[in-house]
């Protein structure tokens, strides 16, 4: 069984910015089928918004961004968020990550924003940086 995780928007953007960092390697491991990404429509929309806003800076066209998003969606497990979620985080922008993890029973969120997502631990969800996630993948080979 593949390890399931959610990738936050900042890690997604970092993977587009550079092919040298841990964020890029997280997506490379996804392409190698080493883990399963879980997405919601809300999260895909956020990915699209931040990626297209930064497309010129990362050296991609809008069509390139669409292609990346299409590939992620094709490979990911899709989930619909329930409307009755009670917010639990101080940053409302992070709330859909926690909601998706809880509702889809995803064991971890890959993020650089570990401080704001600490309440996820109350639900048994690990908060891992890209480097920590890669280490976990290597442990489970």
């Amino acid at each position: 069984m593949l390890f399931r995780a959610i990738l936050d928007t900042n890690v997604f953007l970092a993977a587009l910015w550079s092919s040298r960092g841990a964020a890029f390697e997280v997506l490379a491991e996804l392409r190698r089928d080493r883990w399963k990404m879980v997405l919601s429509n809300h999260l895909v929309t956020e990915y699209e918004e931040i990626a297209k806003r930064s497309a010129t800076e990362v050296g991609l066209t809008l069509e390139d961004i669409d292609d990346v998003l299409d590939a992620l969606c094709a490979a990911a497990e899709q989930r619909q968020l329930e409307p009755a979620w009670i917010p639990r985080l101080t940053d409302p922008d992070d709330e859909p990550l926690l909601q998706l993890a809880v509702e889809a029973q995803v064991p971890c969120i890959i993020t650089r924003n570990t401080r704001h997502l600490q309440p996820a631990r109350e639900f048994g969800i690990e908060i891992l940086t890209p480097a920590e996630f890669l280490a976990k993948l290597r442990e489970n080979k």
Side-chain angles (χ1 to χ4, degrees), residues 42-53:
H42 184 277
L43 191 53
V44 172
T45 301
E46 282 192 27
Y47 285 176
E48 180 179 33
E49 180 184 324
I50 63 149
K52 286 188 173 181
R53 186 175 36 206

Side-chain angles (χ1 to χ4, degrees), residues 1-7 29-30 33-39 72-78 106-108 110 133 137:
M1 184 166 132
L2 290 177
F3 196 76
R4 295 167 64 237
I6 297 168
L7 189 67
E29 291 294 324
L30 179 66
D33 291 325
R34 294 281 325 281
W35 66 282
K36 184 76 165 177
M37 178 182 273
V38 180
L39 289 174
L72 288 179
C73 289
E77 176 185 326
Q78 303 286 328
V106 177
C108 81
I110 308 165
F133 180 75
L137 278 181

Side-chain angles (χ1 to χ4, degrees), residues 105-123:
Q105 299 178 341
V106 177
C108 81
I109 298 171
I110 308 165
T111 183
R112 292 181 174 165
N113 184 10
T114 58
R115 185 172 56 92
H116 288 137
L117 289 166
Q118 286 304 310
R121 295 185 192 279
E122 296 170 18
F123 294 92

Side-chain angles (χ1 to χ4, degrees), residues 94-109:
D94 293 330
E95 202 67 50
L97 292 172
L98 175 58
Q99 182 181 359
L100 179 58
V102 171
E103 291 178 1
Q105 299 178 341
V106 177
C108 81
I109 298 171

Side-chain angles (χ1 to χ4, degrees), residues 7 10-15 18 21-28 112 130-131 134:
L7 189 67
N10 291 325
V11 176
F12 172 70
L13 185 59
S18 172
F24 182 84
E25 188 59 28
V26 166
L27 286 186
R112 292 181 174 165
L134 290 170

